[in-house]
Amino acid sequence: MITEVPYAPGRNAPEGGGTRIGVDVTFLCMDRPPPGIPPALPPGYSIHQTFRPGVAWYRALYDAVGQDYCWWLRRVMPDAELARLLCGPGIAVHVLYDGSEPAGFCELDSRYAPDVNIAYFGLLPAWIGRGVGQAFLHNMVARAWGLRPAVLRVNTCSADHPRALPNYLRAGFRKVRTLHEVWTIPHALGLVPPARLRLA
């Protein structure tokens, strides 16, 4: 399951042009913590928060997770701006490890308290389908509620993995609304948007 938020409807591509795609963005929220305790991660997996992550390290992880799902907003963010964001208050990057190897990450954004937003969530391609995604999501939901938000939010869209929305719903989120948005993915990023999303 993959998600990238916040989305940027109507954002223009930088010089060099881009590919226009149409996506349906679904906004979800959770008003109270799920009952019980989250399921245990499979043996050998662990989640660790990375404090003040370096820009190059973060970009490598972000690019690897989002390559197939049109994650582009952080790719066009200047290094200095991204560094300030990652080291500032309210952004928490949690990495899923398979042994010592990163397998995915989740970024919690509490800058707009009392709400907390799951801004990014996803697995590296080699770990999709191994049965760890749901446990990772449930554990991150529990960590997010540990911040005592009034509401926990997440967005997903039709460019994401097809299991993203069903998995969020199973985790206890409910749909708030769905909006159709048009994005322009800069050619210079080298991303290949799915043909089903491309606009003439």
Side-chain angles (χ1 to χ4, degrees):
M1 65 204 82
I2 310 291
T3 190
E4 174 177 46
V5 295
Y7 296 105
R11 178 173 294 191
N12 294 324
E15 187 175 345
T19 301
R20 294 175 70 246
I21 64 173
V23 295
D24 294 323
V25 181
T26 300
F27 299 79
L28 304 103
C29 75
M30 188 184 295
D31 301 308
R32 59 182 60 84
I37 60 174
L41 295 169
Y45 287 90
S46 59
I47 301 170
H48 300 281
Q49 183 174 350
T50 300
F51 296 92
R52 302 178 67 85
V55 168
W57 177 90
Y58 177 88
R59 286 196 187 281
L61 188 58
Y62 174 96
D63 292 352
V65 171
Q67 176 71 34
D68 295 331
Y69 305 99
C70 298
W71 285 22
W72 64 281
L73 295 178
R74 294 282 172 83
R75 287 177 181 244
V76 299
M77 183 179 288
D79 283 354
E81 182 180 348
L82 181 56
R84 286 193 300 270
L85 179 72
L86 294 174
C87 294
I91 297 294
V93 178
H94 299 260
V95 181
L96 174 70
Y97 285 94
D98 179 0
S100 60
E101 193 169 359
F105 84 103
C106 177
E107 185 176 318
L108 300 180
D109 185 349
S110 59
R111 291 175 297 166
Y112 307 103
D115 292 4
V116 170
N117 185 47
I118 296 179
Y120 291 95
F121 180 89
L123 300 176
L124 275 77
W127 279 268
I128 292 176
R130 295 193 187 184
V132 69
Q134 268 290 301
F136 181 31
L137 176 59
H138 282 269
N139 277 269
M140 288 311 309
V141 166
R143 290 192 181 202
W145 278 108
L147 300 173
R148 301 187 179 277
V151 177
L152 179 60
R153 301 186 185 278
V154 70
N155 299 358
T156 187
C157 78
S158 51
D160 292 336
H161 194 285
R163 289 200 297 270
L165 180 56
N167 283 337
Y168 288 131
L169 294 173
R170 278 196 292 271
F173 288 93
R174 62 177 176 82
K175 292 183 184 180
V176 177
R177 65 188 182 280
T178 298
L179 300 177
H180 186 74
E181 298 181 356
V182 175
W183 306 344
T184 302
I185 309 296
H187 292 319
L189 299 180
L191 297 174
V192 182
R196 62 184 171 83
L197 301 177
R198 297 185 187 190
L199 302 176

